[in-house]
Amino acid sequence: MTGASSGAAMQQKGFLGWVERTGNRLPDPVFIFFYLIIVLVAISIIAALVGLSAPHPTQTVAGTDDPYIIEAVSLLSAENIQRLWVDMPKTFTHFHPLGYVLVVMLGAGVAERTGLFGTAMRAAVRNAPKFLLTPMVALVAMVGNLAADAAYVVLIPLAGVLFAAAGRHPIAGIAAAFAGVSGGFSANLLPGQLDALLFGITESAAESIVPAWDANIAGNWYFIFVMTFIFLPIIWFVTDKIIEPRMGGYEPQGPAGEMVKDGDKPLTQEQKSGLARAGIAALLVCALWLFFTIGPGTPLIDETARPEARLSPFYKSLVAGFLVLFLVTGWAYGAAAGTVKGHRDIVRMMSEAMADLAYYLVLAFAAAHFVAMFAWSNLGLIFAVQGADVIEASGMPMPITLALLVLLTGVVNLFVGSASAKWALLAPVMIPMLMLLGISPEMTTATYRVGDSATNIITPLMVYFPLILTFCQRWQKGFGLGSLTATMLPYSAFLMVGGLILVMAWVALGLPLGPGAPLEYTLPQ
């Protein structure tokens, strides 16, 4: 028994070593896009020379019923070379995710830096009854994704302290919080920054086949809401029935005992007052948006549009809505808690939030040109049409097709950690291909999100993996890379299975993904 366990552990470390070595050989995601552009140029030249083509699914030749033929175009053609250099500023600034992310982060940066996110998470979990500690930590961790980095640096170490204070193993608390924040990366009660990021890329991909398609940041709202309550019992079960029993008891001593004593200080009166004011501010922002929607003139409803499109202005306004929500609630909290002294503090916090996006801007520049050049070559649309024909001819059920997309995303996630980088690579083919098969861009995006979440917690290449390992080693010195991955593997497996079942059940039931976001899609005539 001992020998088998030891062998399994060595095999585990061997696999981890392979993942780490392979991933470390990969260049930075920015340069991955640049290298892919070089490959794309070569493929476009060959495709143009051999005459690769496909019938356009919606356009016809003028004056006839014959489908318009899409032909592969060399990216070294005079037109595309001119477009590359002349339109470079436009290509970058018109990259859809860029505007969405920048706008939302202006507000979220204030809410994070005033301390609103961190205090709200502490308040949510510190008074939870012992028997509800695990589900409360998991739920707050998933909702904490709205706070981006704050969930990793505030909630995860706090979960270890809370578990130890309750007489439970602190690493089990860290594991539950890590599974919620990172394994439940896409699950949430509300849309947020991730939705703005992903749907910007989805919109770019969908416009290659239907130029009039517009993104709806709430397009996955119902799906991610349900996902939260699918993942919650999974994390609860794995923590309490699998992970913690294997770890045994834990008695805090020495520095660990000091962490338990000092790590979960009660909220100050100023922090409590700040949370109360932030709650009132949130209600006022929601009331304001409701007034804009149903008040005089209904500015966020287009009365002249088709019935299914009348709420389109409301959905598009949600990006600005989250900016206002985070900004106002963060300011209200900071003014009461003493972290905001005046308007200059707010401007400074917004500036710092933009500074934190410096790397994303560089990545977005590379991704924007890859996505644009893929569209200029017509290869994305051709591959989508031909791929749709292959899937249709195979008779493969749509739930199975989507399940394969989940698994593909999960494998790619082991080596490329950035959610935006992976989706920028997959979306230009997957979105139009599944639109041709009658699946909406919102459903394809939701499917991608399931695969992107489940394997985050088992790859050493995940940017926060070393930080989580450090948190664990504060409680248990010999806790290594293999130990952390072995701890998180059951979460990853159960979350992947739960996510696959959710996707297939959603398709079988034909449920909408969000307000104004049906599962099925019919191409315009």
Side-chain angles (χ1 to χ4, degrees):
M1 188 68 155
T2 305
S5 300
S6 175
M10 290 178 65
Q11 187 177 10
Q12 176 82 22
K13 290 180 180 179
F15 171 74
L16 284 175
W18 176 79
V19 170
E20 190 168 14
R21 287 191 301 273
T22 304
N24 287 337
R25 291 193 192 104
L26 294 174
D28 187 274
V30 173
F31 270 81
I32 288 178
F33 278 113
F34 286 139
Y35 294 147
L36 286 173
I37 286 173
I38 295 172
V39 174
L40 180 62
V41 170
I43 293 175
S44 72
I45 294 171
I46 297 171
L49 288 174
V50 301
L52 187 66
S53 64
H56 197 286
T58 59
Q59 295 182 15
T60 58
V61 177
T64 72
D65 292 330
D66 298 330
Y68 175 76
I69 302 300
I70 318 158
E71 297 179 344
V73 178
S74 169
L75 289 172
L76 290 186
S77 67
E79 180 186 3
N80 279 331
I81 291 175
Q82 181 190 77
R83 184 185 292 177
L84 173 64
W85 301 121
V86 173
D87 291 348
M88 185 170 285
K90 178 181 175 182
T91 301
F92 179 36
T93 58
H94 286 208
F95 187 47
H96 291 296
L98 189 61
Y100 294 168
V101 172
L102 292 178
V103 169
V104 173
M105 280 302 297
L106 279 172
V110 172
E112 181 178 351
R113 283 164 176 77
T114 58
L116 171 60
F117 286 151
T119 303
M121 285 186 285
R122 285 179 58 206
V125 299
R126 70 181 305 275
N127 293 322
K130 288 187 178 181
F131 76 98
L132 289 179
L133 186 55
T134 302
M136 280 300 298
V137 164
L139 178 61
V140 174
M142 286 186 279
V143 176
N145 282 318
L146 293 172
D149 295 352
Y152 285 97
V153 299
V154 174
L155 181 63
I156 292 177
L158 177 60
V161 172
L162 291 171
F163 267 59
R168 302 178 60 181
H169 203 294
I171 293 180
I174 291 173
F178 187 29
V181 173
S182 197
F185 185 59
S186 283
N188 218 309
L189 302 182
L190 293 170
Q193 302 169 49
L194 182 62
D195 297 81
L197 175 67
L198 295 181
F199 273 104
I201 298 172
T202 297
E203 183 173 10
S204 295
E207 285 179 345
S208 69
I209 188 170
V210 180
W213 195 87
D214 289 320
N216 168 10
I217 194 177
N220 278 171
W221 192 347
Y222 301 159
F223 185 86
I224 63 175
F225 186 91
V226 173
M227 191 194 304
T228 303
F229 294 98
I230 295 294
F231 283 3
L232 181 61
I234 289 175
I235 296 173
W236 190 357
F237 171 80
V238 172
T239 302
D240 289 4
K241 301 300 182 183
I242 299 177
I243 300 303
E244 196 166 13
R246 292 180 64 246
M247 292 181 172
Y250 186 86
E251 187 67 35
Q253 296 176 353
E258 293 300 315
M259 278 193 282
V260 173
K261 185 171 65 176
D262 300 330
D264 183 31
K265 297 177 182 177
L267 301 184
T268 65
Q269 188 57 45
E270 290 80 6
Q271 290 172 328
K272 292 178 181 178
S273 176
L275 288 179
R277 291 193 187 183
I280 295 171
L283 292 175
L284 290 175
V285 171
C286 293
L288 178 64
W289 241 251
L290 181 63
F291 176 77
F292 285 151
T293 305
I294 64 176
T298 60
L300 294 183
I301 295 180
D302 185 357
E303 301 284 0
T304 63
R306 303 184 313 274
E308 64 272 17
R310 287 177 183 170
L311 283 173
S312 180
F314 171 76
Y315 300 141
K316 292 180 182 178
S317 77
L318 290 176
V319 175
F322 279 106
L323 161 65
V324 176
L325 178 66
F326 290 141
L327 178 61
V328 172
T329 55
W331 197 337
Y333 171 85
T339 54
V340 173
K341 305 300 183 184
H343 69 278
R344 287 183 174 81
D345 287 336
I346 297 298
V347 175
R348 174 181 54 79
M349 291 173 182
M350 297 172 80
S351 301
E352 290 172 355
M354 292 299 97
D356 287 347
L357 289 176
Y359 175 78
Y360 172 74
L361 293 176
V362 178
L363 178 63
F365 177 81
H369 282 82
F370 173 78
V371 171
M373 293 173 74
F374 208 47
W376 301 343
S377 69
N378 288 335
L379 291 176
L381 193 50
I382 292 172
F383 292 157
V385 171
Q386 294 183 348
D389 289 342
V390 170
I391 293 175
E392 195 169 24
S394 70
M396 186 185 301
M398 190 49 57
I400 301 301
T401 302
L402 294 176
L404 292 176
L405 174 57
V406 170
L407 295 174
L408 171 65
T409 304
V411 171
V412 174
N413 195 35
L414 292 173
F415 303 99
V416 181
S418 169
S420 57
K422 284 191 299 293
W423 193 220
L425 291 171
L426 297 173
V429 173
M430 293 299 177
I431 290 289
M433 181 175 72
L434 293 178
M435 288 172 74
L436 292 173
L437 295 171
I439 293 294
S440 70
E442 291 89 350
M443 184 67 235
T444 308
T445 305
T447 303
Y448 165 80
R449 297 174 76 159
V450 171
D452 183 43
S453 293
T455 54
N456 271 333
I457 50 180
I458 60 170
T459 170
L461 302 176
M462 190 265 183
V463 291
Y464 284 104
F465 206 84
L467 179 65
I468 308 305
L469 186 60
T470 301
F471 291 152
C472 293
Q473 289 172 346
R474 292 160 75 182
W475 297 97
Q476 186 172 319
K477 292 293 185 184
F479 203 84
L481 186 68
S483 303
L484 179 56
T485 305
T487 299
M488 302 312 297
L489 267 173
Y491 291 106
S492 183
F494 277 84
L495 290 174
M496 178 66 81
V497 172
L500 284 169
I501 292 172
L502 176 61
V503 167
M504 291 188 282
W506 208 281
V507 174
L509 295 172
L511 300 173
L513 280 300
L519 181 145
E520 296 181 347
Y521 184 81
T522 303
L523 291 172
Q525 296 299 316

